[in-house]
Amino acid sequence: MTATSYASQLLSLLARISFRLGQFKLSSGGTSDYYIDCRTTTLHAEGGRLTGHAILELLEKNGVSAEAVGGLTMGADPIVSNVATASAWRAIEQPGSPLTHGFLVRKAEKAHGTGRRIEGFLCEGARVVIVDDVCTTGASTINAIEAAREAGMTVAAVVCIVEREEANGRPAVESAAQGAPFLRLFTAKDVRAEHVAQLDAAKQ
């Protein structure tokens, strides 16, 4: 796989602190001989920085422009914040670079206050990118896509940090995205291979 410097550093960190081998039950109901907890990395100080910049570079590489990124709480929460912050740092270092704001999608409308399901950026007609940490079935990603559309926003792309490449996740997300590209930083195989390489290096 071809990776930017940010992405390659992020992969190394993911493999070291977010990947585990063993027997695990997944939220999808299935079982797996490995587990990836991306939040360990996206909530890590350096991991968060790398996440934000790696996603911005992925969008830029694929020609995707958007006013905001958002996703379903809580897996997307640190990703959204990190991408928004990375865009602000980029705008300081490269004057004229656009800011990418953030929004979070509640799993259900709140029963008090404004009753909004979307918190943060909300602008009808705006181009947005839906982000998620791990895509297995794609259910949480699809939930966020639908919420953004219901709010009148246009989904320009969908991004996940790690795609497990199973459980019909990609076809389901691509169907919901209605032509918007579904991009990933890594496959689970990428992270697993890096994790095994790190274990082998530690034995030498």
Side-chain angles (χ1 to χ4, degrees), residues 127-187:
R127 287 172 55 82
V128 301
V129 172
I130 302 301
V131 295
D132 209 346
D133 52 5
V134 178
C135 176
T136 305
T137 65
S140 60
T141 306
I142 293 168
N143 196 332
I145 290 171
E146 292 172 347
R149 286 221 178 93
E150 287 170 7
M153 297 189 284
T154 299
V155 176
V158 179
V159 173
C160 71
I161 295 178
V162 179
E163 182 186 355
R164 289 185 66 109
E165 297 185 294
E166 59 190 60
N168 205 43
R170 174 169 284 271
V173 171
E174 288 180 332
S175 176
Q178 298 177 11
F182 175 32
L183 311 173
R184 69 189 180 207
L185 281 171
F186 317 109
T187 65

Side-chain angles (χ1 to χ4, degrees), residues 29 49 60-61 96 105 138 143 155 159:
R49 184 184 77 87
E60 188 175 65
K61 176 183 175 183
V105 179
N143 196 332
V155 176
V159 173

Side-chain angles (χ1 to χ4, degrees), residues 3-140:
T4 64
S5 58
Y6 287 119
S8 60
Q9 292 175 69
L10 179 60
L11 176 60
S12 178
L13 189 60
L14 272 170
R16 181 164 61 86
I17 69 176
S18 289
F19 187 92
R20 295 289 179 270
L21 290 170
Q23 291 300 314
F24 302 94
K25 185 172 182 178
L26 305 176
S27 60
S28 62
T31 58
S32 176
D33 66 348
Y34 70 91
Y35 183 68
I36 304 175
D37 181 4
C38 281
R39 282 167 294 191
T40 307
T41 295
T42 57
L43 288 167
H44 180 279
E46 177 65 358
R49 184 184 77 87
L50 295 171
T51 297
H53 286 293
I55 289 178
L56 282 180
E57 287 192 337
L58 180 67
L59 294 175
E60 188 175 65
K61 176 183 175 183
N62 286 275
V64 176
S65 61
E67 295 177 57
V69 295
L72 191 70
T73 193
M74 62 183 285
D77 293 10
I79 304 173
V80 169
S81 296
N82 288 317
V83 172
T85 301
S87 79
W89 279 112
R90 177 180 283 194
I92 291 173
E93 297 166 356
Q94 302 173 23
S97 294
L99 292 176
T100 305
H101 305 292
F103 65 92
L104 302 176
V105 179
R106 292 176 176 271
K107 293 180 180 177
E109 291 181 356
K110 63 181 181 180
H112 59 280
T114 61
R116 284 170 47 163
R117 191 173 173 209
I118 291 181
E119 300 292 347
F121 179 90
L122 180 57
C123 181
E124 190 170 347
R127 287 172 55 82
V128 301
V129 172
I130 302 301
V131 295
D132 209 346
D133 52 5
V134 178
C135 176
T136 305
T137 65
S140 60

